[in-house]
Amino acid sequence: MVCLLRQKFPPFFREPACIILLIFNCLLIFTCLLFVNGRTATAADIKENPEEISWHISALTVTFDNIRNLYIAEDEVVIIGGKTRLEADYVEFSNQTKDAFAQGNVVLISGKDSIACDAMHINLTTELGTINKGTIFIQENNFYIHGENIRKTGKFSYSADTGSITSCPGDSPDWKITGRNIKVTVEGYGTASHTVLWAKKMPAAYSPFLIFPVQTKRQSGLLVPKISSSDRKGMEIEQPLFLALSRNVDATLYADYMSERGTKIGAEFRYILDDTSKGTLFLDALEDERTDDGTDNTADYSFSTTPQRTNTDRFWFRMKHNQELANGFTAKLDIDFVSDEDYLLEFRDGFTGHTATTKIFENQFGRSLDEYDDTIRKSSLNVNKSWSFYTLNLDALWYDNITARRTDIDDTTLQTLPGVEFNVSKHGIGSSSVYYSLDTEFRSFYRQDTTAVRVNGQRADIYPKLYLPMTLGRYFNFEPWVGVRQTLWYTDNFTDINGDSDSLRTRLMADVGAQLSTKFMKIYSPGLGFADKIKHEILPQLEYAFIPKVTQDDLPSFDSLDRIEEQHLVTWSLTQNFISRTSKLTSTGEKTFTYRDMAWVKIFQSYDIKKVADNDPRPFSDISMETEFAVSNCLILDMDMDWSPYDNQFNAFNIGNTLEDNRGDRLKVEYRYARDLSESLYSHVDIRLTDELSTYGSIEKNLKDDKMVETQVGFVLTKACWTFNLHFSESSGENSIAFLINLHGIGELGTK
């Protein structure tokens, strides 16, 4: 049983209630006099002032003491006023002052907090009083405060000379913290002095002073710090401070002290403007006490894969913002700017590291960051509007070449400022059977430093296509198409291979093609729990595409659109789709259906007629396969591969899968292979050994160089009110071991 302490009582405002109340009180006194001698009492409503709460008393025995002006209730006593409820074996209650003395199995319930005790003096209106041998339970935090003599100093505050705090239920908790001068304010903090942490009945740690959060709502305050140690940074303490600035704006400040490097200051700022407009930005800054002066003594303060780091001013600014604009336009802003190539290699982990920041951006915006080891960082601004068949995109892309910026070499990185695209998706022309699509774009290209080949300029491209879909017989679909592409360039200081320096260049190209396809379909009733029906579709397709040879050596080259190769291909493909249907009855008895794409597999290969004409002995392309497999939430698989029919081996093989069950076991594997280029493996596994004990491990390895990127293994013991995590990792030749104890309701304590 528990007693709750916070409620707002609804007032009474109508004067006629006074007359009713007077009559009711007379009847109440008369009823009490009838049952003075131990007879069962009826319920009694007590109210003297119409603007005060009405109190209802029920008990096996209720009497009224005229001398002390008290109601005395015994056995199964329940007093209810508004949302406040007092239960006890014996209660003395003054209807004038609203003071109550309760004894024996006392429970006071008001809101979500509660008090259970042996005896209590309490004013039910102000909720001030004293509690003898009581337990305060804060439900939102699952938090218990025990004390011999507890003072209730307000509706949401308590104090005790001695007592204990824990989040474990029962008389013998797994852990508790005892202390003196305990003060607790709900939606604030608790403090205690001379505190001792107990593991069962064994003292484990002592602290002269303790402060802990007692908050159920978003509120400013210190968060749990992170403590670690490493050869590069020394002893490290990272302390976050959360600031609830308003309902839609908050921030977190970070002070990251490193004994070998100095103090890194960080800030995270979050805001929500409306349902679709929001933003998050991070800024870190460090005055580094160590640089790489080129000697062996300072080599550890730089990385072998990057240029020598000589700067002490180090920072990283990144942000993402979504904005709803007028007339249906939306905007997305991404910024990523870092001081040096080593920064993200060195600060990959931590509260504001690359790993944590990437996860936050992916969860909040669905957009990621460049990889931590990329030395060219992308920033962009996109403005978009979509109609039924039309889309308009305006882009500005900026690639920051960190190495060129820091080493003062020529920066020929290609920027797009701006780019405009207007596209029309495939749809019919009036009532005819002809369809069309349109892709258009304009881009302005800029380089900070130019060369004879790498120049600045603008490019406009328009590419309409016409389609004529038709059926052949009953089973086949045939769709020929033709496209025309017109491209124009305007460049500065460009001279082609013929010595021509004209600023304006043009290219006109045409391409034709056709598709022949059919579909086979069958519906199964598997009789399995995850689906009522499964539809299996098989879509064989044959495609022909032809692009004539066009001389393009005299054109500038900004990206792949500037060089479109001659093409004469026949491509076959086989696609299989698996779609499940489940049904359920609504509360009104109506049947509803849910459809889900369970899996799709596509296999395809091309035959190059141009290579046959050129006597190339390998006219066939690799056999490629792409697949996504998601029978249920337990198994998700995506894979793509390229198999050489001539070498009988994979030229590329990429697979990623996540397998998990209802117990909490989980396996994630990502394997990436590109023949003669790269090969890597990442795997993470979580295994639930028992209901309380689980283990996890991960491995990331560069298989091509036979180098381990990172290895981690750990165990987690989860109890009702605490968690223990033992963790070992090896990364970049540095080993670390850590244990972390999470006392639920208090925070994390640990070392590394």
Side-chain angles (χ1 to χ4, degrees):
M1 299 294 291
V2 289
C3 284
L4 303 184
L5 304 170
R6 300 169 301 181
Q7 294 296 337
K8 295 181 179 179
F9 305 117
F12 291 84
F13 296 104
R14 294 178 174 85
E15 290 300 327
C18 296
I19 300 173
I20 299 173
L21 183 62
L22 179 61
I23 298 172
F24 185 83
N25 278 339
C26 294
L27 293 174
L28 174 65
I29 295 173
F30 178 76
T31 303
C32 291
L33 291 175
L34 289 177
F35 296 95
V36 167
N37 296 320
R39 287 181 275 179
T40 302
T42 60
D45 283 330
I46 306 168
K47 186 172 69 169
E48 292 183 348
N49 190 325
E51 295 187 358
E52 292 182 357
I53 193 70
S54 176
W55 296 97
H56 177 89
I57 300 178
S58 66
L60 295 181
T61 302
V62 177
T63 61
F64 184 76
D65 188 334
N66 289 313
I67 299 176
R68 295 188 295 166
N69 196 23
L70 294 176
Y71 291 93
I72 299 175
E74 299 181 74
D75 299 325
E76 301 181 14
V77 183
V78 177
I79 300 179
I80 299 175
K83 296 183 180 179
T84 299
R85 180 185 180 96
L86 175 63
E87 301 177 1
D89 295 336
Y90 176 86
V91 174
E92 295 178 359
F93 175 67
S94 170
N95 193 43
Q96 291 182 343
T97 63
K98 303 303 182 290
D99 289 326
F101 169 72
Q103 187 174 14
N105 300 311
V106 181
V107 175
L108 179 66
I109 302 174
S110 179
K112 291 185 178 180
D113 300 336
S114 64
I115 300 173
C117 56
D118 291 346
M120 173 189 299
H121 285 89
I122 190 76
N123 185 286
L124 294 179
T125 300
T126 64
E127 297 192 13
L128 304 181
T130 59
I131 302 152
N132 182 34
K133 293 183 179 179
T135 298
I136 302 167
F137 177 62
I138 302 171
Q139 180 178 329
E140 192 77 20
N141 292 39
N142 197 47
F143 204 64
Y144 298 87
I145 304 171
H146 303 279
E148 290 289 325
N149 293 288
I150 302 175
R151 292 175 296 278
K152 196 171 188 307
T153 56
K155 287 189 176 183
F156 311 111
S157 58
Y158 312 88
S159 67
D161 294 333
T162 60
S164 65
I165 55 178
T166 184
S167 59
C168 304
D171 296 331
S172 179
D174 289 348
W175 70 267
K176 65 179 179 180
I177 296 176
T178 60
R180 302 176 185 174
N181 302 319
I182 298 175
K183 296 181 180 180
V184 174
T185 300
V186 180
E187 299 303 344
Y189 293 90
T191 60
S193 61
H194 300 290
T195 58
V196 178
L197 171 64
W198 296 77
K200 284 291 187 181
K201 297 183 179 181
M202 181 180 296
Y206 168 81
S207 175
F209 184 76
L210 176 68
I211 182 171
F212 52 93
V214 190
Q215 300 167 354
T216 63
K217 299 178 181 177
R218 175 173 162 271
Q219 192 172 16
S220 300
L222 293 172
L223 303 179
V224 177
K226 179 181 180 181
I227 303 173
S228 61
S229 178
S230 68
D231 295 335
R232 296 176 63 87
K233 303 173 187 176
M235 187 66 181
E236 182 177 7
I237 303 175
E238 192 171 1
Q239 176 63 63
L241 170 65
F242 177 77
L243 301 175
L245 303 178
S246 67
R247 289 185 59 196
N248 63 321
V249 179
D250 60 44
T252 306
L253 306 180
Y254 300 89
D256 185 2
Y257 168 76
M258 297 168 286
S259 61
E260 295 293 326
R261 313 299 290 274
T263 301
K264 178 164 66 75
I265 303 299
E268 177 184 0
F269 184 72
R270 298 164 294 270
Y271 54 91
I272 298 176
L273 304 180
D274 54 44
D275 291 342
T276 56
S277 301
K278 62 181 180 179
T280 298
L281 61 88
F282 290 83
L283 174 63
D284 296 340
L286 169 65
E287 183 68 24
D288 204 328
E289 297 178 0
R290 299 288 188 270
T291 60
D292 182 3
D293 60 10
T295 65
D296 293 339
N297 294 332
T298 62
D300 288 342
Y301 299 113
S302 186
F303 289 84
S304 59
T305 57
T306 59
Q308 176 185 348
R309 184 182 64 81
T310 59
N311 59 301
T312 59
D313 296 328
R314 309 183 70 188
F315 59 87
W316 184 27
F317 177 75
R318 61 274 190 209
M319 76 169 294
K320 292 191 184 295
H321 176 81
N322 289 353
Q323 181 65 49
E324 187 78 15
L325 302 176
N327 300 317
F329 283 87
T330 60
K332 296 179 180 179
L333 175 65
D334 294 357
I335 298 178
D336 185 355
F337 192 70
V338 68
S339 60
D340 55 79
E341 303 95 328
D342 291 351
Y343 190 93
L344 299 182
L345 296 172
E346 194 156 30
F347 299 107
R348 184 179 177 186
D349 300 320
F351 286 129
T352 61
H354 182 274
T355 301
T357 305
T358 300
K359 185 178 296 185
I360 290 172
F361 283 159
E362 287 177 346
N363 291 337
Q364 294 184 0
F365 300 93
R367 307 195 299 275
S368 186
L369 289 166
D370 292 329
E371 292 297 327
Y372 68 94
D373 54 354
D374 285 344
T375 58
I376 298 179
R377 316 294 299 179
K378 176 185 175 182
S379 297
S380 65
L381 172 64
N382 172 262
V383 178
N384 170 272
K385 183 174 182 178
S386 297
W387 296 266
S388 299
F389 296 101
Y390 313 103
T391 58
L392 175 64
N393 276 286
L394 295 87
D395 286 304
L397 305 179
W398 182 268
Y399 295 89
D400 177 40
N401 189 324
I402 307 173
T403 302
R405 171 165 50 84
R406 288 194 60 246
T407 57
D408 199 27
I409 61 175
D410 287 346
D411 187 355
T412 58
T413 307
L414 185 65
Q415 318 293 349
T416 303
L417 298 168
V420 181
E421 294 182 3
F422 179 75
N423 299 320
V424 181
S425 60
K426 178 181 173 182
H427 68 287
I429 302 177
S431 60
S432 70
S433 58
V434 179
Y435 288 72
Y436 83 100
S437 67
L438 177 66
D439 295 332
T440 64
E441 72 166 41
F442 170 82
R443 296 192 180 278
S444 180
F445 297 102
Y446 168 79
R447 291 181 173 92
Q448 182 174 325
D449 299 303
T450 60
T451 65
V453 177
R454 298 177 177 178
V455 297
N456 297 332
Q458 293 79 42
R459 183 187 68 205
D461 182 76
I462 181 170
Y463 180 39
K465 291 178 72 174
L466 294 176
Y467 309 83
L468 183 61
M470 63 187 73
T471 58
L472 300 179
R474 296 178 56 188
Y475 302 106
F476 291 95
N477 298 312
F478 181 66
E479 183 180 75
W481 53 264
V482 59
V484 178
R485 182 187 294 274
Q486 176 69 67
T487 312
L488 298 91
W489 292 263
Y490 185 86
T491 56
D492 300 328
N493 302 321
F494 174 68
T495 302
D496 61 27
I497 58 174
N498 301 317
D500 189 353
S501 58
D502 287 348
S503 297
L504 182 64
R505 310 290 173 116
T506 63
R507 179 188 64 189
L508 180 63
M509 301 182 68
D511 54 344
V512 297
Q515 289 182 355
L516 179 66
S517 64
T518 188
K519 179 190 290 187
F520 303 97
M521 181 181 67
K522 187 172 183 179
I523 297 178
Y524 301 91
S525 300
L528 302 176
F530 66 87
D532 301 329
K533 302 284 186 180
I534 295 178
K535 181 169 70 172
H536 179 200
E537 296 179 339
I538 301 177
L539 295 88
Q541 179 175 285
L542 190 65
E543 182 176 355
Y544 172 76
F546 174 72
I547 301 175
K549 182 177 181 180
V550 177
T551 301
Q552 303 170 75
D553 295 340
D554 59 341
L555 301 176
S557 179
F558 296 113
D559 57 31
S560 59
L561 184 59
D562 301 311
R563 295 292 185 269
I564 298 178
E565 299 296 330
E566 177 186 1
Q567 189 179 91
H568 201 182
L569 292 178
V570 176
T571 303
W572 67 266
S573 66
L574 182 66
T575 304
Q576 299 190 66
N577 295 322
F578 296 86
I579 303 170
S580 67
R581 191 193 77 179
T582 57
S583 62
K584 67 177 182 178
L585 292 177
T586 64
S587 58
T588 60
E590 184 180 351
K591 182 177 286 190
T592 61
F593 298 98
T594 302
Y595 298 88
R596 186 166 61 87
D597 293 327
M598 294 173 50
W600 69 269
V601 181
K602 181 178 181 180
I603 303 174
F604 56 96
Q605 184 186 32
S606 296
Y607 178 75
D608 196 331
I609 300 175
K610 175 179 175 297
K611 288 185 177 181
V612 175
D614 294 339
N615 296 318
D616 192 317
R618 295 189 171 191
F620 284 98
S621 70
D622 293 342
I623 300 174
S624 300
M625 184 180 77
E626 299 174 354
T627 180
E628 289 185 3
F629 187 74
V631 173
S632 67
N633 294 330
C634 297
L635 177 62
I636 301 174
L637 171 71
D638 63 271
M639 179 172 59
D640 62 85
M641 62 182 70
D642 297 329
W643 175 267
S644 172
Y646 302 104
D647 301 331
N648 291 324
Q649 59 179 306
F650 289 109
N651 283 330
F653 187 91
N654 304 309
I655 182 171
N657 77 279
T658 300
L659 176 65
E660 56 185 324
D661 57 25
N662 295 329
R663 287 194 341 143
D665 301 319
R666 186 170 184 265
L667 173 64
K668 181 178 181 180
V669 177
E670 294 179 358
Y671 174 78
R672 298 288 179 259
Y673 169 78
R675 183 178 173 185
D676 299 329
L677 293 176
S678 63
E679 185 178 12
S680 62
L681 173 69
Y682 172 79
S683 178
H684 182 95
V685 61
D686 295 290
I687 301 176
R688 191 82 176 266
L689 301 176
T690 68
D691 290 341
E692 297 179 340
L693 181 64
S694 61
T695 182
Y696 63 90
S698 67
I699 180 172
E700 184 177 357
K701 187 174 183 180
N702 184 332
L703 300 176
K704 179 175 175 56
D705 298 333
D706 196 24
K707 290 183 179 180
M708 195 69 66
V709 179
E710 186 175 46
T711 303
Q712 300 184 29
V713 66
F715 292 89
V716 179
L717 179 62
T718 303
K719 294 292 209 176
C721 54
W722 59 276
T723 302
F724 177 77
N725 189 337
L726 180 64
H727 176 83
F728 172 81
S729 67
E730 180 180 3
S731 176
S732 302
E734 184 176 29
N735 298 331
S736 67
I737 187 170
F739 74 86
L740 202 62
I741 300 175
N742 187 329
L743 304 180
H744 301 174
I746 292 292
E748 295 178 340
L749 306 172
T751 184
K752 180 177 180 181

